[in-house]
Amino acid sequence: FLSWDHKLSQHQENSVNAAFASSFVDLKASSPLTGNLLHLFAFFDPEKIDTAVIISGVSELPLERIEEHQVELQLIQTNYSVDRKTRERGHIKRLQNWLSRVRRIRGSHTSQPAPAKPPTDSAEENYLEYIDLQAFYESIQSPVDFQDAIARLQSLALVYIRGHRKQQIWMHDLVQYMVQYGVMTHAERKFWAAQAVKVIANAFRKISDPESHQQWDQCEACCPHVIAVAANDDKYKVASMELCVTLRQCALYLASRGRYGDAVSMCSQALSMVESLVGEDDLETLATVSAMAWVTYREGRKDLSQAHEWYQRVLWGRETQLGPAHPDTFTTLNDLGFICEKQGLYAEGEEHLLRALHGREILYGPNDPRTCLVLRNLSYLFFRQGLWQRTEDFGLRALHGEENTLGKDDAETIITVTNLSLLYEKMGKYDRAEELALRSLNVREAALPQSHPRVLMSINNLALIYEKQGKYTRAEPLYLQALSGRTKAMGPDHCRTHRTLGNLSALNLRMGRLTAATEYAEKALAGREKFHGDTHPETMICRAQLAAVYEKLKRYDEGEALCLNVLGHESELTPTHPAAMQAMQVLGAIYLGQQKYQASQDLLTKVFGRLQIQCGIQYADTLRTLRDLGRLYAATARLDEAQKCFEETVKESTKGLGEEHPDTVEYLNLLDDFAKE
């Protein structure tokens, strides 16, 4: 409005300004409820003010907080009491001065006017009337009074009402600005900014679990206003413990929706605020540090050492202040163990998680969801090490408890279902793996948007199982969907994007597309090295995958170098880690191609024995290793042993994978060729 060119005379302009300012003053004089409501609305996000949020925010607002501000208002009134006409003249004069400054800055023909600074209040203008907040908030909770006030604001074109069942209020930015800076003094703005904080904090406090998708609608209705009221801290010093807690909870909500950048920014603001209020060692500060570590992990940062340090800080603080057997201490042990697993620090992670499990089993019992969470994390830690039996034992215990206490379709239960589907894929139990993967995807697609990270995870996992079943045409579009979604939602450098690239490489290798397999594998490895570093277990898996491609391309020297790099870290990975097992298998095949038969036999025999024990004879990688042993025996003229290997491969592949599986067809052709030769 102020940037428009116009031909009003100074007298005309003054008249407009006077009418504009006095209308607000008259509104408050004729209807204090309506005027105060307008003042409160002016500090929320003007685009979508949900009336249900306002009503929830003022209901059950602690009385001592209201009384505290009534005393403050009485003191301000005593020190700065002026009559209404003086106030009106002051408002009009400030508007006139403001417009004059804007005109001078803008010039007569400026296409892009410089932003005008709002009028500042002198000390003499810092006043407030006595406001009966108790009566004001009771009126908001009255359906009749509240709706009458909103209707009056709409009749004056100060707000616009959207929706009927779910009523939302829209306020023009100019109206909001004029209410704040054209009508209110600095003292009034500070007061109403603080009230807006209390209302939105009280509304958000009633959301029991902001990370649950069942309460996302409530969180989303509050979230823009949390951002708006927190932005006033620099101007009006509205920082408080209730605002810190609200920012922290809202950040957890944003992270659960996959809005990781916003979550980290909001949690950083909460941490800075709470440290300035109560110091670095307060329990509320530690809770915010813990949330900061969590949202940092969810953001997908390559270096989790900062999150690890934060959790260690929280653990030390809680053990010191609350004791080693306190529930919050067990929570931190679980979180720290979880982060250790992501860093590949398996021994440290297991130690923390076992402590948390022991404590929670005593405190809550074996089937409580909090105990099941630790069981699930332990299960996945063993999964990352290739310890399938321990993975299944802890995973099934977690699933049993969650299904009985939370239900079969609860989000936490589905996480355990997803993990078990991956386990059964590794164990070669593909039908069971597919059943669990479809269950996971169906529940998540019904509850979450298609672009949510957990939906994309379920899509990727289902594609992986289809690939192992030989259903390549069903797997490829799912992989591509997961890759596209992860690239958009998380970025091309996120670890989960790298994982899908690796999966696409393996799929193209199975389909004989060696050029595409090479491109995907090299991208995945470059991303892993950049994200995790050279020695992380996930990087080792990508090295082994690329080595497998180089073996098919007969680029033996490059493949050998990659495999030896992985096996050089075998002590860190554990002997049954997927990276170590694949590197041994691929290196055995490379040595076979290089005619280093004894070295090949030593590796293939060792990895075949481990795979047989860990995954069973019908697992795809076990059968491929047995096939390579048959090729080795054939190359060294040990024909009877070669024939036994080929026949065993065909028999077990037919049983486990089916007659039409591409691997089974390959083994049959290999046996026929061997018989002919």
Side-chain angles (χ1 to χ4, degrees):
F1 171 77
L2 297 172
S3 67
W4 292 346
D5 289 320
H6 56 76
K7 298 180 180 179
L8 294 177
S9 67
Q10 187 65 46
H11 171 72
Q12 291 172 323
E13 188 175 293
N14 290 345
S15 299
V16 171
N17 295 337
F20 196 70
S22 62
S23 64
F24 287 109
V25 178
D26 290 339
L27 172 64
K28 188 172 181 181
S30 61
S31 176
L33 169 62
T34 308
N36 290 335
L37 195 60
L38 187 63
H39 289 179
L40 183 64
F41 286 169
F43 291 91
F44 290 119
D45 185 307
E47 293 298 321
K48 192 189 293 183
I49 303 173
D50 195 322
T51 56
V53 171
I54 303 299
I55 294 170
S56 174
V58 301
S59 65
E60 301 176 13
L61 195 63
L63 290 176
E64 60 270 17
R65 296 179 187 171
I66 296 175
E67 292 166 358
E68 171 190 329
H69 279 278
Q70 287 177 340
V71 172
E72 176 188 337
L73 289 167
Q74 287 175 315
L75 290 173
I76 295 173
Q77 180 194 25
T78 303
N79 294 331
Y80 304 105
S81 70
V82 289
D83 65 329
R84 178 184 167 191
K85 290 183 179 179
T86 304
R87 290 199 303 274
E88 287 186 22
R89 287 196 296 271
H91 293 320
I92 295 169
K93 183 65 177 175
R94 281 186 286 121
L95 281 168
Q96 292 170 349
N97 292 339
W98 183 24
L99 288 170
S100 297
R101 287 198 300 275
V102 172
R103 192 179 299 105
R104 287 197 299 272
I105 295 171
R106 177 162 54 88
S108 56
H109 299 287
T110 304
S111 59
Q112 291 183 343
K117 293 182 179 180
T120 57
D121 299 301
S122 63
E124 291 77 23
E125 292 174 318
N126 284 348
Y127 67 88
L128 276 175
E129 296 178 284
Y130 177 86
I131 299 174
D132 187 348
L133 280 178
Q134 183 67 38
F136 173 53
Y137 289 143
E138 287 177 354
S139 297
I140 290 177
Q141 295 175 72
S142 165
V144 176
D145 293 345
F146 189 40
Q147 291 302 320
D148 285 349
I150 292 174
R152 183 161 187 175
L153 289 174
Q154 185 176 32
S155 70
L156 295 172
L158 297 174
V159 302
Y160 177 72
I161 300 175
R162 295 169 171 169
H164 298 287
R165 294 183 179 179
K166 188 176 181 181
Q167 195 178 62
Q168 294 175 338
I169 296 169
W170 173 79
M171 177 186 286
H172 195 283
D173 293 349
L174 178 61
V175 173
Q176 184 185 57
Y177 194 85
M178 292 302 298
V179 171
Q180 287 190 28
Y181 295 105
V183 177
M184 286 190 268
T185 66
H186 180 79
E188 287 176 306
R189 289 195 294 274
K190 183 175 181 179
F191 170 75
W192 285 109
Q195 289 307 302
V197 168
K198 293 184 179 299
V199 170
I200 198 63
N202 194 44
F204 210 99
R205 178 179 61 84
K206 297 172 182 176
I207 300 173
S208 59
D209 183 6
E211 295 183 86
S212 169
H213 71 272
Q214 296 172 336
Q215 297 184 311
W216 281 356
D217 288 344
Q218 296 170 261
C219 292
E220 188 58 37
C222 293
C223 187
H225 308 303
V226 174
I227 296 170
V229 300
N232 288 318
D233 184 47
D234 289 340
K235 291 180 286 187
Y236 306 122
K237 307 301 179 189
V238 295
S240 63
M241 289 307 302
E242 57 195 352
L243 179 56
C244 294
V245 173
T246 304
L247 285 168
R248 183 175 75 219
Q249 295 296 95
C250 193
L252 293 175
Y253 156 69
L254 290 170
S256 70
R257 296 295 298 264
R259 291 152 63 178
Y260 302 123
D262 293 337
V264 170
S265 176
M266 184 172 287
C267 211
S268 297
Q269 185 180 7
L271 181 57
S272 176
M273 190 179 291
V274 73
E275 285 182 334
S276 67
L277 288 172
V278 295
E280 295 184 353
D281 298 327
D282 188 85
L283 290 173
E284 283 296 338
T285 304
L286 296 177
T288 309
V289 171
S290 181
M292 187 69 196
W294 177 243
V295 298
T296 298
Y297 156 70
R298 293 293 296 273
E299 187 186 24
R301 296 203 180 170
K302 62 180 181 180
D303 184 6
L304 291 175
S305 59
Q306 181 64 73
H308 188 270
E309 289 176 12
W310 276 328
Y311 277 133
Q312 285 182 318
R313 171 184 166 187
V314 176
L315 179 60
W316 181 87
R318 286 177 170 172
E319 281 187 321
T320 302
Q321 298 182 58
L322 302 174
H326 191 277
D328 289 352
T329 303
F330 297 143
T331 297
T332 311
L333 285 166
N334 175 72
D335 294 341
L336 182 54
F338 178 87
I339 287 295
C340 287
E341 177 267 309
K342 299 305 175 188
Q343 294 178 285
L345 305 174
Y346 299 131
E348 182 185 345
E350 183 177 352
E351 178 186 348
H352 293 314
L353 289 171
L354 287 174
R355 269 191 67 192
L357 177 62
H358 179 70
R360 284 188 167 178
E361 282 182 326
I362 294 173
L363 195 61
Y364 304 121
N367 292 326
D368 185 89
R370 289 160 289 193
T371 305
C372 293
L373 174 60
V374 187
L375 287 167
R376 181 211 305 156
N377 288 340
L378 272 166
S379 173
Y380 197 73
L381 180 137
F382 295 134
F383 175 78
R384 299 309 300 170
Q385 297 176 79
L387 305 173
W388 302 151
Q389 192 55 56
R390 298 188 74 184
T391 300
E392 184 176 28
D393 291 344
F394 281 92
L396 289 176
R397 283 175 60 189
L399 183 63
H400 174 76
E402 287 169 340
E403 286 185 333
N404 285 322
T405 55
L406 300 174
K408 291 189 175 183
D409 293 340
D410 185 83
E412 294 298 309
T413 307
I414 293 302
I415 294 175
T416 306
V417 168
T418 303
N419 291 350
L420 284 170
S421 73
L422 292 174
L423 169 67
Y424 289 129
E425 178 272 318
K426 291 294 183 186
M427 297 176 73
K429 300 178 180 180
Y430 299 123
D431 291 342
R432 179 60 174 154
E434 181 182 2
E435 176 190 344
L436 293 176
L438 284 170
R439 173 181 166 186
S440 168
L441 180 59
N442 291 336
V443 171
R444 285 177 169 174
E445 283 187 324
L448 304 170
Q450 195 71 13
S451 60
H452 192 278
R454 286 184 176 173
V455 175
L456 297 172
M457 180 186 293
S458 294
I459 291 171
N460 179 83
N461 294 347
L462 183 59
L464 178 64
I465 293 164
Y466 284 153
E467 176 203 329
K468 293 301 175 67
Q469 291 175 314
K471 302 173 182 177
Y472 300 147
T473 55
R474 297 179 69 178
E476 186 173 25
L478 291 176
Y479 273 144
L480 292 173
Q481 182 183 349
L483 179 63
S484 174
R486 285 177 162 178
T487 303
K488 290 178 182 177
M490 306 174 193
D493 296 328
H494 195 278
C495 59
R496 290 180 181 171
T497 307
H498 304 152
R499 186 169 296 166
T500 305
L501 286 168
N503 291 342
L504 274 165
S505 173
L507 175 66
N508 280 275
L509 182 63
R510 299 278 176 266
M511 298 174 76
R513 302 173 184 170
L514 298 184
T515 301
T518 305
E519 291 176 0
Y520 283 126
E522 289 177 342
K523 280 184 182 179
L525 178 57
R528 288 291 191 186
E529 288 177 335
K530 180 180 177 182
F531 190 90
H532 287 300
D534 290 339
T535 60
H536 193 279
E538 293 289 340
T539 306
M540 298 298 170
I541 289 175
C542 286
R543 283 204 180 99
Q545 287 176 331
L546 182 57
V549 179
Y550 286 163
E551 186 270 325
K552 293 297 182 185
L553 290 168
K554 300 185 186 299
R555 293 165 61 175
Y556 294 139
D557 291 343
E558 294 169 272
E560 181 182 6
L562 290 170
C563 290
L564 291 174
N565 180 285
V566 174
L567 295 175
H569 297 84
E570 189 177 2
S571 60
E572 302 169 29
L573 296 173
T574 72
T576 56
H577 191 279
M581 300 280 269
Q582 185 174 13
M584 289 175 64
Q585 179 188 4
V586 172
L587 187 58
I590 288 173
Y591 286 156
L592 176 59
Q594 294 175 323
Q595 299 182 2
K596 299 177 182 179
Y597 297 130
Q598 189 57 53
S600 176
Q601 181 176 338
D602 292 344
L603 285 168
L604 292 174
T605 303
K606 183 188 291 186
V607 75
F608 177 70
R610 289 181 182 177
L611 284 169
Q612 225 181 346
I613 294 171
Q614 184 184 23
C615 306
I617 186 62
Q618 294 177 0
Y619 182 56
D621 287 343
T622 310
L623 293 171
R624 291 185 189 118
T625 307
L626 184 60
R627 172 205 62 192
D628 289 343
L629 276 170
R631 290 170 55 213
L632 169 69
Y633 294 143
T636 55
R638 296 157 66 179
L639 302 183
D640 290 342
E641 292 174 90
Q643 183 169 351
K644 287 180 182 178
C645 287
F646 291 142
E647 288 176 348
E648 184 75 7
T649 303
V650 170
K651 182 180 75 171
E652 296 300 337
S653 183
T654 303
K655 285 182 181 178
L657 302 177
E659 292 182 358
E660 298 180 359
H661 192 284
D663 285 2
T664 306
V665 174
E666 177 194 341
Y667 302 148
L668 279 167
N669 291 335
L670 190 61
L671 179 59
D672 288 343
D673 291 342
F674 173 77
K676 290 175 183 177
E677 291 176 7

